[in-house]
Amino acid sequence: MIDAHQHFWDLATGTYPWMAGDEMKPLRRDFGPAELMSLMAASGVDATILVQCRHDLEETRDFLAIADKYSFVAGVVGWLDLQAEDVAEQLTALRLRPGGRRLVGIRHNVHDEPDADWLRRPAVHRGIAAVFEAGLTFDLLVRARELPAAIDVVGHFPNGRFVLDHMAKPPIASGFSTFWHAAFNELSEHGNVWCKVSGLVTEADWHHAAPADFDPYMQIALDCFGPDRLIFGSDWPVSTLAASYAEVKAIASRLTSTGPGVADRFFERNAIDAYQLSTDGTK
C-alpha cells in the first residue's frame, strides 16, 4: 500500500511562507520520518512518495538523503527551477546523489504564482521537456484558476506523465464550482494524466465536515479518471489541520467500495504506473 503524497519539513533549514496565519500554527513545528512511520504502520501503509514543500533545490537534496536512509520512501517528487537553462544538468546531478535513484518527479507550486498562465511560458515548457526526457513525472499543483493552462500543457506533451495533485483543490467549503468541474473533466480526457485523491479534507470545513461530504467529489474523480488513474495520497502533515492520518485513509477508502479490484489500483498499482516505480516500491 502506497501513500503517494506526504511531506516532511525542518523549520531550522528553510522558510515556509504558506504556513503564515493563526490557522496554520499547528503546522509550525518539525515533521519527520519517525512520526510518520508509526502512523503508516497503524494504517497498513507500506511506502510513500515524499513531495516538495518549497521552491528550494536544497530541500530536494535533503529529501533524496531521507529516501536513501528510509526505505519506506519509495520516491521523491522534488523541485528545481524549471526556467533555468541547465535543467537537464541539474536533474543528472540530483540522480547521482545518494538517494538519487528515488527521484521520480518534479513539482512547482503553480497555484502560488501571480501569473495564471505560468504553465504556458516557453521557458517552463523547456524545463518540463527536460523532466520528461529524464524519464520523470511532472506533478501539477493547481487550483481551478490554473486548470486551463494545465490542460494546454498536458496537450503539449502527450507522451509525458502528469499527476494532478489534490484533484486541483475543489472549493468544497465554499460550495460546488461548475467551472472547476468542467475544467477537471476536460483535463481528465487526456490519458497521460493521473489524479491524486488527496488534500480534500483541508478544502472542506476543517471542523464540521463529515466523511460523506467527500463522496460526491470522489465520485466525480472516479467518473472522470476511472479506476486506473486515481491515486491515494494523505497530504500528511498538512491534512492534520482537519483530520488524522487514519481518518484521511478511511475517507479515501470509501472510494474503493465501488467495485472489485479498485482498492489495489487506487492504493498501489496506479502510483507504480504513474511514477514508474518497480514492483517492490523502488525506482
Side-chain angles (χ1 to χ4, degrees):
M1 184 172 289
I2 300 172
D3 173 356
H5 199 103
Q6 53 88 192
H7 308 284
F8 296 135
W9 54 75
D10 179 345
L11 298 184
T13 63
T15 60
Y16 302 84
W18 55 270
M19 288 188 196
D22 290 343
E23 73 280 6
M24 295 298 216
K25 187 176 180 180
L27 298 182
R28 292 199 289 270
R29 66 173 180 87
D30 296 344
F31 288 87
E35 184 174 356
L36 179 60
M37 287 171 69
S38 64
L39 298 173
M40 291 169 56
S43 292
V45 176
D46 305 296
T48 72
I49 293 177
L50 175 56
V51 180
Q52 64 87 219
C53 308
R54 65 181 194 268
H55 293 172
D56 187 342
L57 188 60
E58 192 59 36
E59 179 191 64
T60 303
R61 298 186 183 112
D62 290 343
F63 281 1
L64 293 176
I66 289 173
D68 190 50
K69 182 177 180 181
Y70 294 92
S71 60
F72 75 83
V73 180
V76 170
V77 175
W79 178 91
L80 51 72
D81 182 1
L82 290 168
Q83 299 182 85
E85 296 288 342
D86 62 341
V87 172
E89 290 78 7
Q90 289 190 53
L91 289 171
T92 297
L94 287 170
R95 297 177 99 173
L96 291 173
R97 298 180 65 86
R101 67 189 182 92
R102 298 286 177 90
L103 184 67
V104 297
I106 296 295
R107 185 177 85 155
H108 184 90
N109 298 2
V110 176
H111 64 31
D112 291 334
E113 291 289 342
D115 180 11
D117 291 325
W118 189 88
L119 282 168
R120 292 187 170 114
R121 294 182 179 184
V124 173
H125 280 205
R126 185 176 63 244
I128 293 175
V131 170
F132 292 143
E133 287 166 8
L136 303 176
T137 300
F138 187 73
D139 270 35
L140 291 163
L141 181 58
V142 298
R143 296 185 187 272
R145 182 193 72 146
E146 299 86 28
L147 273 173
I151 292 165
D152 284 354
V153 75
V154 165
H156 189 79
F157 294 101
N159 296 318
R161 296 188 311 276
F162 291 88
V163 174
L164 177 65
D165 291 347
H166 311 325
M167 290 181 58
K169 298 194 171 186
I172 301 173
S174 60
F176 186 79
S177 166
T178 56
F179 176 83
W180 166 83
H181 186 199
F184 180 81
N185 182 60
E186 185 176 352
L187 182 67
S188 75
E189 293 173 357
H190 294 267
N192 59 329
V193 185
W194 285 259
C195 175
K196 286 181 186 174
V197 177
S198 59
L200 298 185
V201 293
T202 47
E203 297 305 315
D205 184 322
W206 295 359
H207 306 293
H208 301 104
D213 294 339
F214 302 98
D215 290 350
Y217 291 92
M218 292 194 293
Q219 186 62 51
I220 287 171
L222 187 60
D223 291 343
C224 290
F225 282 88
D228 294 326
R229 289 189 291 141
L230 292 182
I231 300 172
F232 166 66
S234 69
D235 197 29
W236 185 90
V238 180
S239 56
T240 61
L241 292 168
S244 70
Y245 192 91
E247 287 169 339
V248 169
K249 183 173 176 285
I251 289 168
S253 296
R254 296 169 67 91
L255 182 147
T256 65
S257 64
T258 56
V262 175
D264 288 343
R265 293 193 289 273
F266 179 56
F267 284 115
E268 180 186 18
R269 185 72 248 173
N270 296 343
I272 291 172
D273 291 344
Y275 290 107
Q276 296 291 283
L277 304 175
S278 68
T279 52
D280 66 353
T282 61
K283 179 69 174 173

